[in-house]
Amino acid sequence: GNSVTQMEGPVTLSEEAFLTINCTYTATGYPSLFWYVQYPGEGLQLLLKATKADDKGSNKGFEATYRKETTSFHLEKGSVQVSDSAVYFCALSDGGSEKLVFGKGTKLTVNP
Amino acid sequence: GAVVSQHPSWVICKSGTSVKIECRSLDFQATTMFWYRQFPKQSLMLMATSNEGSKATYEQGVEKDKFLINHASLTLSTLTVTSAHPEDSSFYICSAFRGLAVSGGETQYFGPGTRLLVL
């Protein structure tokens, strides 16, 4: 079945540091890939997405590229801010399906 | 953006009692809602798909008699944990699916979650 593996946290960085959170997936067919973010006390919010190979999703300075050859969708940001502190979830949906399969989540803490 | 609320945000109950959790889409109608369960340091596990006006579809391994789902209207779905036991303690999250999309993930809006502790 479909699955998502993302790097274990927690991740602690200083402000303006470079961020990478690794995500790899296993899926039959051609899934769409997502990164969700959950700020403290709030629901998950869609951060970015990519629907086909080589697509790059981007939002709020975050980027992730759909790499079919390595089955990866790593999240990156060049310069993190304190306000980026949150839990980040990688997820996939099996093309055309509404169902999401999530990774375990990675907690990011950014210190000033 | 679209808002989904859950009530209560946390609940403590005695073993053997039933607990109802509400999920509401506040500014849009949702024909489909999803219920997830999250254990500490685990990913969100889809429990069931709730469809307005029809029976919920449960994922493999989820007891439908244990976790009763009612999608009473286009803005409300409820999850009732019946005869709760300590092993049902968890974080329950709902999402509401808004309209049509190429893939479902981009138009699911999540509630903030309900933490259940069964003593």
Side-chain angles (χ1 to χ4, degrees):
Chain A
N2 298 340
S3 65
V4 174
T5 302
Q6 65 181 102
M7 65 184 287
E8 296 279 337
V11 174
T12 302
L13 297 173
S14 297
E15 206 165 22
E16 299 184 3
F18 184 85
L19 168 71
T20 299
I21 301 178
N22 291 336
C23 172
T24 57
Y25 67 90
T26 301
T28 55
Y30 304 95
S32 294
L33 302 174
F34 308 87
W35 277 100
Y36 279 83
V37 58
Q38 185 176 32
Y39 299 104
E42 299 182 16
L44 276 74
Q45 302 172 25
L46 178 64
L47 179 60
L48 55 84
K49 65 176 177 68
T51 58
K52 61 183 187 295
D54 299 325
D55 269 3
K56 177 185 285 187
S58 61
N59 186 26
K60 299 181 181 180
F62 291 89
E63 293 183 341
T65 301
Y66 189 143
R67 300 287 188 198
K68 186 179 178 182
E69 63 275 14
T70 55
T71 62
S72 64
F73 193 55
H74 304 322
L75 182 68
E76 297 182 336
K77 186 174 186 181
S79 177
V80 294
Q81 306 299 313
V82 173
S83 58
D84 294 327
S85 298
V87 181
Y88 292 82
F89 292 89
C90 186
L92 68 82
S93 72
D94 191 359
S97 169
E98 300 162 355
K99 296 182 180 180
L100 287 168
V101 176
F102 286 91
K104 292 185 178 182
T106 302
K107 184 176 182 180
L108 170 66
T109 300
V110 180
N111 295 318
Chain B
V3 178
V4 175
S5 69
Q6 280 185 242
H7 177 80
S9 56
W10 60 273
V11 57
I12 301 173
C13 69
K14 293 182 179 180
S15 185
T17 60
S18 294
V19 175
K20 180 184 285 188
I21 302 170
E22 294 184 348
C23 177
R24 293 181 184 273
S25 55
L26 298 184
D27 53 359
F28 67 98
Q29 294 183 331
T31 56
T32 303
M33 291 184 174
F34 299 91
W35 286 96
Y36 296 85
R37 182 173 179 177
Q38 185 179 27
F39 294 98
K41 298 184 179 181
Q42 300 286 327
S43 62
L44 280 74
M45 302 295 294
L46 180 64
M47 298 174 64
T49 303
S50 172
N51 299 298
E52 190 269 337
S54 64
K55 292 183 178 180
T57 304
Y58 290 81
E59 296 299 303
Q60 191 173 10
V62 178
E63 299 176 60
K64 59 182 66 177
D65 295 331
K66 174 77 169 173
F67 299 99
L68 300 179
I69 291 173
N70 182 21
H71 198 144
S73 73
L74 288 172
T75 59
L76 173 64
S77 176
T78 60
L79 168 67
T80 301
V81 183
T82 62
S83 187
H85 291 283
E87 58 266 28
D88 298 325
S89 299
S90 193
F91 194 56
Y92 293 89
I93 300 173
C94 74
S95 72
F97 184 73
R98 182 177 189 176
L100 299 176
V102 173
S103 59
E106 65 183 276
T107 48
Q108 279 193 43
Y109 297 92
F110 286 80
T114 297
R115 189 165 301 281
L116 170 64
L117 176 62
V118 184
L119 302 177

